[in-house]
Structure formats: structure tokens, C-alpha cells
Amino acid sequence: QVQLVESGGGLVQPGGSLRLSCAASGTVSSINVMGWYRQTPGKQRELVATVSSGGSTNYADSVKGRFTISRDSAKKTVDLQMNSLKPEDTAVYYCYADIRRYGSTRFTNYWGQGTQVTVSS
């Protein structure tokens, strides 16, 4: 089985910082893209940031210059450093990974359970 576990969410004041972490475990052979998405009630899940196995990154315009995504291929983890947080960043953040399992030739999308980030005074 494959599991993605997130940590680091919580309550922070505007202008503050949080660091989210996600670890993949189980029968993981290789991982292509890893990243973070977020969702608020009544809205579609949106991309926040992704990083490929080669290190190429992609950010939503709303977080450029404030968020930084990174990964550790050996540990199979991906982090999201969030600085200068705004109330608009409040959402449930989901870890994403495109994973090929042992014995499989195909990549499959996996999602974490989500972690709440609340930015408020």
C-alpha cells in the first residue's frame, strides 16, 4: 500500500510562516511529480506548487515569491515553506504525488488526507 501523510498545518497570524511536510511510504518504486493543492468549501481544489523528480518547480501566481516547495528524493518527502501568509491562504492543504508502485508500469495519483491552514488575527 501507499500512504501520504501531511504535517505542519495550524493557525498563524497574517504575515507569519508555516512549513508543511508530506512523506510517502509503502510500496513506492518511484515518484514523478509531488506537490501541494488547497481547497476551501464551495471551491475547486487548486494547485499551489509542484516539483518534478528533476527539480523543476511550478507555482500558482498567488503564492509566487512567498512559498517555496522542495523535495528530498531519498526520504520521499516534499515540503512547502509558506511565508508572508495572508488570510486568503486559509484552506485545507493536500499533498499530491504521482507514484509508480513496485510491480506496476503505471503511475497513479495519490492524495494525503489534508491539513488545515488558517491565517487569521
Side-chain angles (χ1 to χ4, degrees):
Q1 62 182 44
V2 172
Q3 186 177 34
L4 298 179
V5 179
E6 302 120 324
S7 62
L11 175 65
V12 66
Q13 294 184 340
S17 298
L18 283 175
R19 187 176 184 89
L20 305 182
S21 297
C22 175
S25 62
T27 55
V28 178
S29 178
S30 61
I31 304 176
N32 186 9
V33 174
M34 300 187 78
W36 294 90
Y37 290 69
R38 65 187 181 188
Q39 187 171 25
T40 56
K43 295 185 177 181
Q44 294 182 323
R45 189 171 299 183
E46 65 175 357
L47 182 148
V48 178
T50 61
V51 56
S52 71
S53 60
S56 179
T57 59
N58 184 41
Y59 296 92
D61 288 341
S62 60
V63 307
K64 287 181 179 178
R66 300 188 297 121
F67 292 9
T68 302
I69 191 169
S70 61
R71 69 187 287 173
D72 187 323
S73 296
K75 295 182 178 180
K76 297 182 176 63
T77 61
V78 60
D79 290 356
L80 184 69
Q81 178 65 47
M82 304 185 293
N83 298 326
S84 302
L85 282 161
K86 305 175 181 179
E88 304 94 281
D89 296 317
T90 296
V92 177
Y93 284 70
Y94 295 90
C95 179
Y96 165 85
D98 193 22
I99 295 173
R100 177 165 57 86
R101 300 180 66 184
Y102 288 114
S104 177
T105 60
R106 301 177 61 182
F107 284 86
T108 301
N109 297 341
Y110 288 87
W111 296 91
Q113 80 284 355
T115 184
Q116 178 70 47
V117 172
T118 302
V119 185
S120 176
S121 298

